[in-house]
Amino acid sequence: SQQGEEDPQALSIQEGENATMNCSYKTSINNLQWYRQNSGRGLVHLILIRSNEREKHSGRLRVTLDTSKKSSSLLITASRAADTASYFCATDATGNTGKLIFGQGTTLQVKP
Amino acid sequence: GAGVSQSPSNKVTEKGKDVELRCDPISGHTALYWYRQSLGQGLEFLIYFQGNSAPDKSGLPSDRFSAERTGGSVSTLTIQRTQQEDSAVYLCASSSAGTGVYEQYFGPGTRLTVT
């Protein structure tokens, strides 16, 4: 079963706009990670936020984590056509040892 | 350096046949994971190896699925008597620690089609 649920399932924006994707999860976690998957390719790790962190930045990416609401958001600023991909959140539940539980993903299309 | 590699990249097999999927993790990574990605099911955890510890097999969907990791490096996922519902992309990942908070590095996957 999937731990995370993401919304929206699909998002279409113009190049230069910001894209926000949300993820909710059910159990306590050690950390939450975001991955990107281009069509037909493997997953690429984007950013990891630990359970005691509230916000993290990496380049054009900003991730927030609210453990009280069991939710996270991924913001991509100034989007580019190359950002077109599927984005997945994944949680490493407390007590587990690296086994990731993935959300269903958000498909992002950035139109040039 | 080299990333995680998987072979074959595509596999078409007839229902009832056995298949073996291979994963070469990043050198030095002690943890290795198998996931399955199929339409309607998203990404599912299958099995996890960490060093010499007993693997976590909690995600294997049936006893037709098994995996081994030889010498702490290469892993093989075996599916016996394949069924059409086994059709999916099988992804392997490795990380440098199993009990830390390290990110996982994924291979390109093996697309399995059972006809």
Side-chain angles (χ1 to χ4, degrees):
Chain A
S1 65
Q2 295 300 308
Q3 155 89 303
E5 294 185 3
E6 294 177 64
D7 79 271
Q9 290 188 344
L11 181 61
S12 181
I13 60 175
Q14 293 295 134
E15 207 166 26
E17 294 180 338
N18 296 342
T20 299
M21 290 161 266
N22 303 296
C23 166
S24 61
Y25 57 92
K26 297 174 183 175
T27 64
S28 296
I29 60 172
N30 289 320
N31 64 77
L32 186 145
Q33 305 178 36
W34 285 89
Y35 287 82
R36 182 186 72 214
Q37 184 178 39
N38 291 89
S39 178
R41 311 286 289 271
L43 279 81
V44 174
H45 179 265
L46 294 176
I47 195 166
L48 180 153
I49 186 165
R50 300 175 190 238
S51 60
N52 61 354
E53 297 177 313
R54 292 297 167 258
E55 187 171 313
K56 201 161 184 180
H57 297 255
S58 176
R60 294 183 295 111
L61 305 180
R62 172 177 168 254
V63 169
T64 62
L65 179 65
D66 187 335
T67 53
S68 67
K69 295 181 179 178
K70 292 186 168 59
S71 67
S72 173
S73 67
L74 171 68
L75 169 68
I76 304 174
T77 60
S79 64
R80 304 167 182 168
D83 294 329
T84 295
S86 292
Y87 291 82
F88 295 88
C89 69
T91 52
D92 181 0
T94 302
N96 282 333
T97 53
K99 178 175 80 177
L100 292 179
I101 307 297
F102 283 86
Q104 295 292 339
T106 294
T107 300
L108 173 66
Q109 181 185 30
V110 182
K111 300 175 185 176
Chain B
V4 177
S5 61
Q6 292 185 246
S7 61
S9 55
N10 285 283
K11 176 71 176 180
V12 180
T13 190
E14 292 180 352
K15 178 181 172 181
K17 301 280 190 182
D18 297 353
V19 294
E20 286 190 350
L21 312 179
R22 176 186 168 105
C23 172
D24 283 89
I26 292 173
S27 178
H29 278 189
T30 57
L32 186 148
Y33 313 80
W34 283 97
Y35 297 88
R36 177 171 73 173
Q37 186 175 29
S38 53
L39 288 175
Q41 293 295 320
L43 272 152
E44 302 172 90
F45 165 80
L46 297 177
I47 188 169
Y48 155 60
F49 296 89
Q50 167 56 21
N52 296 320
S53 302
D56 177 349
K57 304 179 181 180
S58 59
L60 295 179
S62 78
D63 58 9
R64 296 186 296 104
F65 288 72
S66 63
E68 60 179 24
R69 189 179 184 191
T70 54
S73 181
V74 171
S75 177
T76 302
L77 176 68
T78 301
I79 308 173
Q80 295 178 310
R81 305 181 302 282
T82 52
Q83 303 294 312
Q84 288 184 331
E85 61 262 28
D86 299 334
S87 295
V89 176
Y90 289 81
L91 294 162
C92 174
S94 68
S95 72
S96 57
T99 56
V101 290
Y102 299 96
E103 61 266 30
Q104 295 181 18
Y105 295 84
F106 282 79
T110 293
R111 182 175 298 277
L112 174 66
T113 304
V114 182
T115 61

